[in-house]
Amino acid sequence: MPLPLPLPLPLPLPLPFMDRLRARAGRLLEAGVEPSAIGRAAASLWEIAAARGVRRPLDLPEGLRVVGVGGAVLGGAGKSPVAVAIARELARRGERAALVSHAYRASPGSPRRVRRTDDPREVGDDALASARLLDADGVPVIVGPSRRAALDFAIEGGASIAVVDGLLQAAPAPLTDSILVLDAIAPWGSRRCPPLGDLRASPEALLLAADHVAVVTPAVSPSSAPGLPQGSIHLPSSLAGAFDAAGRPVDLAALKGQTVGLIVAVARPERIRRALAVHGIDPAVVLELADHAALTPADRDRARSSALASARRLDHQHRARCPRPPEIWLTTARCATKLPPELWGAPVLALDHRVEVGPLLCRLRAASSFRTPPPVC
């Protein structure tokens, strides 16, 4: 299914300089930069340093099984949804599981459990989104000044197994399980390391550190994309619906015929537009900000004005009627942590992104002591 026609929004948007710079850099790296001699040299240096840093120095606490979930690219592979889904399923199968998240763009002074009412500036937007998603299952989400501090806090809270979002492998002792997450449509991103692309390290270094390769596979992707390692585990991915600010589910089919807006601050936002297209939703206005952008009220207002102007220019070129202001705004669960219940009089709905991790769970050494029988692979 073809993607909705993207609006010419990226830049220059009237956003703070650093967010403009980060948004431009992110989109360039995701697409890949035409290599130059200097660029190739810099990417080679990055690749050498990254290969050494794939195994992060971390003394693992005794008595705790640790599952690491890392991505191949700097953002947009789907590792956080996979980490959340693993922690949820482990808990549902009787494990005393905890999720150790990363407090990106936040600085918790001490290890703590993230509450659904916390400020994302204190715990990080990924951690807060994970806490809200796992609240009903009673899975604690923990952040701390260091991963070791967070893991120690997990043990003190009674956890016997911890899923670490953003950690592929540890040293000197390896993790119980190391999971490398790939996106089925673009497994290795732009296939180049910065400053020429968004590949975190060379595929060889990443695969050498991983015990399992999990491929997040949306319904619109081929079952076997080129470049996938042999033995990869496909994890079906889909949009199951959306939630309003009160947590009430909303069927995406109910949004057909309404003017929908999309506001996101994520890497590779085209994945979301592609997933919405499966449900027949073509956002009239799309605001694509830098990954993890703050989404302050002033920034949102400036971006909205620019986006509406761009949409009107686009419709004028195609001799179509100018779009109405959106009646519904869609966003991700992570971005929803930084947005109010309504934007400009229209409700904000968080998309319910589901990843089926059953095919992966039965491969985990950390899950060998299930209190209930594990799924059959």
Side-chain angles (χ1 to χ4, degrees):
M1 182 176 296
L3 284 175
L5 185 63
L7 300 179
L9 299 182
L11 292 172
L13 280 179
L15 297 174
F17 173 75
M18 288 308 297
D19 269 346
R20 294 206 311 271
L21 186 63
R22 289 176 57 242
R24 181 182 292 277
R27 300 298 177 263
L28 287 175
L29 293 180
E30 290 161 13
V33 179
E34 189 66 28
S36 63
I38 295 177
R40 288 192 188 94
S44 296
L45 291 175
W46 175 290
E47 188 173 319
I48 293 171
R52 296 174 180 172
V54 166
R55 299 174 184 271
R56 301 291 181 88
L58 176 64
D59 291 322
L60 300 175
E62 294 184 6
L64 184 69
R65 288 164 285 156
V66 182
V67 178
V69 183
V73 292
L74 298 179
K79 65 177 178 56
S80 291
V82 170
V84 167
I86 291 173
R88 177 187 289 120
E89 288 304 313
L90 287 172
R92 289 179 177 178
R93 298 178 190 280
E95 293 283 357
R96 290 176 286 122
L99 176 66
V100 172
S101 189
H102 52 88
Y104 184 72
R105 302 190 83 176
S107 300
S110 59
R112 55 176 290 188
R113 178 172 180 171
V114 180
R115 305 294 178 181
R116 60 179 303 115
T117 56
D118 281 341
D119 190 323
R121 293 171 295 184
E122 297 178 359
V123 298
D125 52 5
D126 265 323
L128 181 54
S130 299
R132 292 179 178 179
L133 291 169
L134 292 171
D135 188 48
D137 294 283
V139 178
V141 175
I142 299 166
V143 294
S146 68
R147 285 197 174 100
R148 177 56 195 257
L151 291 171
D152 287 339
F153 190 84
I155 292 180
E156 293 170 5
S160 60
I161 182 170
V163 180
V164 185
D165 183 3
L167 175 66
L168 179 59
Q169 190 53 274
L175 303 175
T176 312
D177 287 280
S178 167
I179 302 167
L180 176 64
V181 178
L182 305 179
D183 170 55
I185 297 176
W188 306 107
S190 57
R191 306 191 70 88
R192 297 169 181 162
C193 290
L196 299 181
D198 61 345
L199 187 60
R200 193 175 294 275
S202 70
E204 294 76 16
L206 294 168
L207 292 171
L208 187 62
D211 300 313
H212 317 279
V213 178
V215 183
V216 178
T217 309
V220 292
S221 72
S223 59
S224 182
L228 292 178
Q230 191 172 12
S232 299
I233 307 166
H234 284 270
L235 307 182
S237 168
S238 63
L239 290 181
F243 290 97
D244 64 15
R248 294 182 292 262
V250 177
D251 189 342
L252 291 179
L255 304 184
K256 292 182 179 179
Q258 300 191 61
T259 305
V260 175
L262 177 67
I263 177 169
V264 290
V266 298
R268 297 189 176 275
E270 70 277 2
R271 297 169 301 132
I272 300 170
R273 299 201 306 273
R274 189 183 296 114
L276 289 173
V278 173
H279 294 270
I281 297 175
D282 181 1
V285 178
V286 180
L287 309 189
E288 296 177 357
L289 289 83
D291 195 16
H292 292 280
L295 297 174
T296 63
D299 299 341
R300 297 195 304 262
D301 287 341
R302 295 190 193 102
R304 174 178 177 265
S305 297
S306 180
L308 287 173
S310 297
R312 292 190 183 100
R313 287 195 300 270
L314 187 65
D315 282 349
H316 178 72
Q317 292 170 8
H318 290 270
R319 297 185 179 181
R321 194 169 72 178
C322 292
R324 296 172 296 171
E327 302 165 277
I328 298 285
W329 284 97
L330 296 177
T331 190
T332 66
R334 189 183 82 186
C335 297
T337 65
K338 297 175 289 188
L339 292 172
E342 291 188 352
L343 283 175
W344 309 291
V348 175
L349 305 181
L351 293 167
D352 184 10
H353 178 206
R354 302 284 182 91
V355 181
E356 173 54 55
V357 295
L360 174 62
L361 281 183
C362 56
R363 308 281 185 93
L364 300 184
R365 290 188 294 271
S368 60
S369 61
F370 276 126
R371 298 176 189 174
T372 58
V376 177
C377 288

